[in-house]
Amino acid sequence: MLALKALIFDVDGTLADTERDGHRVAFNRAFEEAKLGWNWSVDLYGELLAVTGGKERMLHFLDLHLPQFLEEQRQAGTLDDLIKNLHIRKTYFYTQLLSEGAIPLRTGVKRLLDEAREQGFRLAIATTTTPANVTALLENTLGKESIGWFEVIAAGDIVPNKKPAADIYDYALEQMNLKAEECIAFEDSSNGIQSSLGANLKTIITQNHYTETHDFSGAVLVLDHLGEPNEACTCIAGDINGVTFVSMDTVKAL
Ligand code: XBP
Ligand code: MG
């Protein structure tokens, strides 16, 4: 068994609960600005989250709910520009929300990152979201220098196939020159764990309100969050050895 060397974190839903009050709100602001008359409710967005990637998610929405509009845009040759420009504006609105401090880190994330760094473990990010969103989240929650804590920020379109494909985790491992057995992944969704397991990574799940019904088969731990000394986490699957928050001792013992 190879010694643990690195922790690889998903972003949306794992580092922070960004989807409902962050990305979803940003999409709606972009739609309103473009006067499209679209508005993604909390429930509809939960359905659309089946597709990772904001650009892909908008296409999925049109395919499901506005097929005629989609076809008209395709026929007119304007679809690619529409999606690209909407996504640029959505990313602007999202990073603006982050700069206003709208989205905090999830419970236990900062504590575990600090402990991992103190003990010399390497850190990386493997996410479907746009790189600018990652740096904005890190900058607005942990400070600008935290961007440098992560050896690799594998994000968005850097790989051809987004989660649930394993591409983004394979890319992170390759960039770090590490074997999957030397790392552990932190995820929040079924798309995410399919990706991390696809890269043969041991995976800890911290579920959220959008993903609590997802299938997390294969996870070494399924938790409601990473916990704090004064805020016990709940272990939904796996064995956390009776502790009430995830420390590096917990991670190393998995
Ligand atoms: C979550 C995603 C992203 C975000 C939206 O990524 O699927 O697409 O929902 O961000 P992960 P973009 O859980 O892998 O962090 O609009 O920039 O794609
Ligand atoms: Mg996620």
Side-chain angles (χ1 to χ4, degrees):
M1 178 162 163
L2 296 174
L4 178 71
K5 290 189 179 149
L7 284 64
I8 308 177
F9 289 86
D10 165 54
V11 174
D12 295 302
T14 300
L15 288 185
D17 211 345
T18 56
E19 295 291 1
R20 186 188 62 192
D21 301 333
H23 289 297
R24 182 185 67 88
V25 171
F27 277 113
N28 286 334
R29 286 183 184 172
F31 301 154
E32 187 182 357
E33 181 184 66
K35 298 183 173 45
L36 288 165
W38 311 341
N39 185 282
W40 288 353
S41 67
V42 172
D43 288 348
L44 171 58
Y45 192 67
E47 291 166 25
L48 297 176
L49 276 172
V51 172
T52 63
K55 297 188 287 293
E56 296 80 353
R57 191 167 302 140
M58 285 189 277
L59 283 168
H60 178 57
F61 162 70
L62 294 177
D63 191 36
L64 284 183
H65 298 281
L66 293 170
Q68 189 175 338
F69 176 87
L70 177 61
E71 189 50 33
E72 286 162 4
Q73 290 292 317
R74 277 205 178 102
Q75 292 296 331
T78 52
L79 181 62
D80 289 352
D81 280 349
L82 172 71
I83 294 296
K84 181 166 67 69
N85 293 331
L86 278 173
H87 198 248
I88 288 167
R89 293 303 293 159
K90 175 263 173 181
T91 300
Y92 166 78
F93 287 120
Y94 179 69
T95 51
Q96 189 182 49
L97 276 168
L98 291 177
S99 68
E100 292 160 4
I103 311 282
L105 292 181
R106 290 194 67 184
T107 302
V109 167
K110 182 180 184 314
R111 175 185 52 74
L112 190 64
L113 287 173
D114 287 344
E115 192 182 345
R117 292 172 62 234
E118 283 155 17
Q119 295 185 24
F121 288 95
R122 297 159 66 179
L123 300 176
I125 279 174
T127 174
T128 304
T129 198
T130 303
N133 295 342
V134 182
T135 48
L137 178 69
L138 294 175
E139 200 170 319
N140 287 291
T141 54
L142 294 167
K144 200 172 182 65
E145 73 286 345
S146 68
I147 297 168
W149 297 355
F150 300 87
E151 247 177 81
V152 180
I153 297 183
D157 297 330
I158 194 84
V159 290
N161 307 300
K162 292 180 175 162
K163 298 176 186 176
D167 296 37
I168 199 74
Y169 279 104
D170 288 336
Y171 174 83
L173 289 170
E174 182 195 356
Q175 292 295 308
M176 297 177 86
N177 193 24
L178 287 174
K179 295 181 176 62
E181 296 75 19
E182 297 173 294
C183 305
I184 190 163
F186 293 76
E187 270 286 352
D188 74 296
S189 68
S190 56
N191 280 326
I193 194 169
Q194 287 175 60
S195 180
S196 57
L197 292 181
N200 299 312
L201 282 160
K202 209 180 283 184
T203 304
I204 293 176
I205 291 288
T206 50
Q207 62 184 34
N208 53 62
H209 69 284
Y210 272 137
T211 68
E212 58 197 10
T213 59
H214 285 194
D215 176 3
F216 293 123
S217 307
V220 285
L221 280 180
V222 179
L223 308 167
D224 56 349
H225 51 72
L226 293 174
E228 295 288 6
N230 62 354
E231 185 182 352
C233 64
T234 301
C235 186
I236 295 138
D239 182 2
I240 198 170
N241 291 323
V243 298
T244 57
F245 62 91
V246 175
S247 67
M248 279 310 302
D249 285 345
T250 316
V251 174
K252 287 183 283 189
L254 291 170

